[in-house]
Amino acid sequence: MWKVAIIDDDRQVLRGMKQVIPWEELGAEWVGESMNGERGLELVRKEQPDIVITDIYMPVMNGLQMIEILRNEQFQGIILIHSGYSDFEVARKALRLKVEDYLSKPISRTTIRDTLLRAIESIQSEASVKLEHEKLREKLVLYEPFVRKELLKRAVMGTTDAIPEAELSLAGGGPNNHLVLGLEIIRTARISDVRAPDRFLFRFAVQNIINEILNEAGYSFDYVELHGYYSALILHFDKEKEYPELLKVISEISARIVECVHRYLQISVKIGMGGLKESWAAVSDSMEEAFRFSERTASDPLHMSASVKPMKFYHELVEDIETTQGKNAHKIVRHYINALKEQSGGRQLQYDLMGAQFWAILSYTLNDEVVRLQDIAKESSIEAELGNIVTLDQYEAWLNEKIAQICLNQEWHDNMKHKVAIDLIKQFIHENYAEEITIADLAEKVYISKNYLSQIFKNATGETINNYIVKVKMEKARGLLLERKLKIYEVAHRVGYKNIPYFSTTFKKHFGITPAEL
């Protein structure tokens, strides 16, 4: 019901207005009346009506004074002036105070009805706009981590030409120097023999350990997942810090990460250190230096120069295979081979090592998309093929042939179609978590049967669709509760739960504590 308050010093007007307004038709209710501005002010403060109908000339405090105080107190309701005087100065002040309409006494039933209808429509329209803005704000908050993550990934890969330095500085927290540690999870049987979802858990666990170590030490940093088992840890240091004095600190950080990961996860990581850079534009060089340092051997020509950037090459290639099924692969390979030719100076390169690294990285990266390269080519045949390569042109042809085999593989096509469907489903869930979402609804959106969608979603993510929906709702609820702006029942409604006890039970099952204990 729309709440309406009437303020006028004429009792007859008050009675007449209450009689003439079609309350039921408008869906409105009378919440009180006053005979002067001072009492009217108290009434509005107490009842917070949606619409206030007020006279201007009243004892104690006139209508304009009351309206001005209300506006200064951020009263957002609709105000209608109902007066028997036509005064230009009054009308000018009313306009400044955002009065919705100026009605002359006496007023007809039709006029008051039409005016109130317009006022209600105005409230509904404004409420709709506010709701849309709130939804947009929530989406922006929801997607902010993904945007920031992409920004950082582009920075370490050297694809930030179009991004202003100031925008990148937001991710690092201000004007700092930056240094990259390149991390690689060593591919042992413990890692290689697990399913893709479980490998995600390993990477997630490694990131958690790094976060805990660096947060405890008070360092500013960003962590970026790369392809396969590679990741980049960007450390941010004050401008006045010199590289030599940081070496000991960074070495201690690296040693602790290696030790803790091995102790808690029983897996090994290898860490390389890049140079200290003054700008985000040079962070990609630090990243390449870090992995050259990590992989360096006396005879390894793959990492001979900063102009040859294998990590950027692998990232661009994997991204192209995943998004376009290799449409730009020839161009990416050609650029990489040209850099190798320029730096090799005609010297013989170790194509067996380079090719083995290429195949290993693609194997572990694309395996996360449920594509087994072992089924496309056996390791023994890869070794034999690489053993026959003696020139860069032959190596380029071999790279293009392997990429074509991957992209033309029927399993790859099927899985990529599944990946697109699953990504759409995830996006829909993130955008509509406040609604009731059923598997039938989701299946209809991607034109897949319910059972088949459930199967491919579980295979790709390691969890059921319903569990994923609950996880998204709970994560969003946790974020809203931590903002301390809404009550528990309001948060429950925001994430699509009408049954508050059930919401609390689900929250505790998910996080181990109730919403009230958070």
Side-chain angles (χ1 to χ4, degrees):
M1 298 288 281
W2 304 105
K3 298 192 292 185
V4 180
I6 306 172
I7 304 162
D8 199 299
D9 62 343
D10 188 329
R11 290 189 182 277
Q12 188 174 346
V13 170
L14 291 174
R15 284 196 299 270
M17 289 290 283
K18 283 195 289 184
Q19 291 174 356
V20 80
I21 293 173
W23 301 100
E24 188 174 343
E25 178 186 348
L26 297 172
E29 62 176 337
W30 172 82
V31 294
E33 61 185 40
S34 296
M35 297 187 68
N36 63 63
E38 187 173 81
R39 292 289 180 86
L41 190 60
E42 294 172 1
L43 172 65
V44 174
R45 285 169 174 166
K46 178 184 177 183
E47 299 295 338
Q48 290 296 308
D50 301 295
I51 301 171
V52 175
I53 303 173
T54 181
D55 193 5
I56 294 296
Y57 299 105
M58 297 180 291
V60 186
M61 178 188 293
N62 68 42
L64 288 180
Q65 290 172 323
M66 179 194 72
I67 295 170
E68 187 163 14
I69 292 171
L70 287 173
R71 290 308 189 204
N72 287 338
E73 293 177 354
Q74 305 303 312
F75 175 69
Q76 299 298 315
I78 295 287
I79 297 178
L80 305 173
I81 289 179
H82 180 225
S83 177
Y85 299 89
S86 297
D87 187 323
F88 176 77
E89 184 61 23
V90 168
R92 189 181 68 81
K93 286 183 179 179
L95 187 63
R96 178 175 62 84
L97 295 170
K98 298 180 181 179
V99 169
E100 186 78 10
D101 212 335
Y102 195 107
L103 308 172
S104 298
K105 294 179 181 179
I107 189 170
S108 68
R109 178 186 295 268
T110 301
T111 301
I112 190 63
R113 172 187 172 279
D114 292 346
T115 302
L116 288 173
L117 273 175
R118 286 195 300 271
I120 290 169
E121 287 173 1
S122 176
I123 295 170
Q124 291 174 322
S125 176
E126 187 175 344
S128 177
V129 170
K130 283 183 179 179
L131 181 61
E132 288 301 316
H133 285 174
E134 179 63 20
K135 285 184 178 179
L136 179 59
R137 188 190 70 81
E138 289 181 358
K139 284 184 180 180
L140 290 174
V141 171
L142 182 67
Y143 291 133
E144 185 179 355
F146 299 102
V147 174
R148 184 169 176 274
K149 180 180 176 182
E150 182 60 27
L151 202 70
L152 289 166
K153 195 167 187 177
R154 290 170 62 189
V156 296
M157 285 301 168
T159 56
T160 58
D161 296 343
I163 301 178
E165 184 81 11
E167 187 176 349
L168 282 168
S169 295
L170 294 175
N176 295 313
N177 287 335
H178 317 282
L179 180 146
V180 176
L181 295 180
L183 288 83
E184 179 187 0
I185 298 177
I186 306 302
R187 294 177 289 277
T188 61
R190 173 168 166 75
I191 294 292
S192 303
D193 295 340
V194 299
R195 296 171 63 250
D198 296 323
R199 287 197 300 276
F200 281 126
L201 290 177
F202 273 123
R203 293 206 293 264
F204 181 69
V206 169
Q207 182 178 352
N208 280 346
I209 289 173
I210 291 172
N211 288 346
E212 187 171 332
I213 290 172
L214 294 179
N215 284 326
E216 184 181 306
Y219 290 112
S220 175
F221 68 96
D222 285 293
Y223 184 88
V224 182
E225 288 278 4
L226 303 177
H227 44 262
Y229 289 104
Y230 294 90
S231 57
L233 178 60
I234 312 170
L235 300 174
H236 311 292
F237 298 102
D238 293 337
K239 289 285 187 182
E240 62 267 18
K241 296 283 187 182
E242 297 294 334
Y243 190 62
E245 66 178 296
L246 294 174
L247 284 176
K248 182 181 178 184
V249 171
I250 296 167
S251 297
E252 290 173 353
I253 291 172
S254 301
R256 189 164 179 218
I257 290 172
V258 171
E259 190 271 328
C260 288
V261 168
H262 189 268
R263 186 201 312 167
Y264 296 117
L265 303 178
Q266 286 79 53
I267 61 176
S268 299
V269 294
K270 183 165 56 174
I271 298 180
M273 180 170 61
L276 191 66
K277 307 300 179 183
E278 294 185 355
S279 70
W280 275 100
V283 164
S284 62
D285 292 333
S286 183
M287 191 267 294
E288 294 290 348
E289 291 163 5
F291 284 104
R292 282 200 299 276
F293 183 90
S294 172
E295 300 286 347
R296 186 178 298 154
T297 65
S299 60
D300 184 4
L302 183 59
H303 310 287
M304 63 181 72
S305 166
S307 65
V308 179
K309 297 187 174 183
M311 299 306 293
K312 181 178 180 181
F313 164 64
Y314 295 135
H315 169 75
E316 290 180 343
L317 186 59
V318 168
E319 191 174 68
D320 184 63
I321 291 172
E322 290 179 334
T323 55
T324 73
Q325 296 189 16
K327 288 183 180 178
N328 302 304
H330 278 270
K331 182 179 178 182
I332 295 168
V333 170
R334 165 53 51 181
H335 181 78
Y336 177 57
I337 293 295
N338 285 342
L340 284 174
K341 284 181 177 179
E342 182 181 336
Q343 293 302 317
S344 65
R347 288 172 292 173
Q348 185 67 21
L349 303 182
Q350 291 182 299
Y351 299 110
D352 54 343
L353 294 179
M354 293 162 58
Q357 184 181 53
F358 162 82
W359 193 250
I361 287 176
L362 260 66
S363 293
Y364 285 95
T365 304
L366 298 180
N367 205 16
D368 291 338
E369 309 293 345
V370 201
V371 177
R372 291 175 53 85
L373 264 61
Q374 297 95 319
D375 297 337
I376 296 175
K378 301 298 181 185
E379 189 172 329
S380 57
S381 67
I382 294 294
E383 291 176 0
E385 291 169 6
L386 290 170
N388 294 325
I389 295 175
V390 294
T391 69
L392 272 170
D393 288 338
Q394 290 175 335
Y395 183 58
E396 179 180 6
W398 181 84
L399 289 174
N400 286 325
E401 179 188 347
K402 293 302 148 196
I403 294 166
Q405 286 180 358
I406 294 169
C407 295
L408 294 174
N409 181 266
Q410 185 58 47
E411 180 190 10
W412 168 255
H413 279 281
D414 292 342
N415 287 327
M416 283 308 298
K417 286 191 294 184
H418 296 166
K419 183 177 186 298
V420 170
I422 290 166
D423 286 345
L424 286 171
I425 292 302
K426 287 182 176 180
Q427 181 182 349
F428 180 83
I429 292 170
H430 277 280
E431 292 179 353
N432 298 275
Y433 60 85
E435 309 298 329
E436 183 179 348
I437 304 172
T438 67
I439 297 177
D441 294 334
L442 298 175
E444 188 176 317
K445 292 189 177 298
V446 292
Y447 306 102
I448 296 175
S449 71
K450 292 188 299 181
N451 291 339
Y452 189 52
L453 177 60
S454 298
Q455 177 186 333
I456 65 173
F457 192 93
K458 179 72 179 292
N459 289 340
T461 66
E463 59 185 325
T464 66
I465 294 176
N466 285 332
N467 283 348
Y468 187 82
I469 293 170
V470 171
K471 182 174 74 174
V472 171
K473 287 175 178 284
M474 291 300 104
E475 290 293 342
K476 183 59 183 176
R478 181 176 180 273
L480 291 172
L481 288 167
L482 288 174
E483 290 178 4
R484 312 297 183 194
K485 294 179 181 178
L486 300 173
K487 294 180 173 60
I488 291 174
Y489 76 87
E490 292 175 318
V491 170
H493 290 160
R494 285 283 186 94
V495 297
Y497 285 86
K498 296 178 182 178
N499 187 322
I500 312 306
Y502 180 66
F503 166 73
S504 296
T505 301
T506 305
F507 190 93
K508 183 171 184 179
K509 183 178 179 181
H510 195 79
F511 293 111
I513 57 174
T514 66
E517 294 169 338
L518 185 65

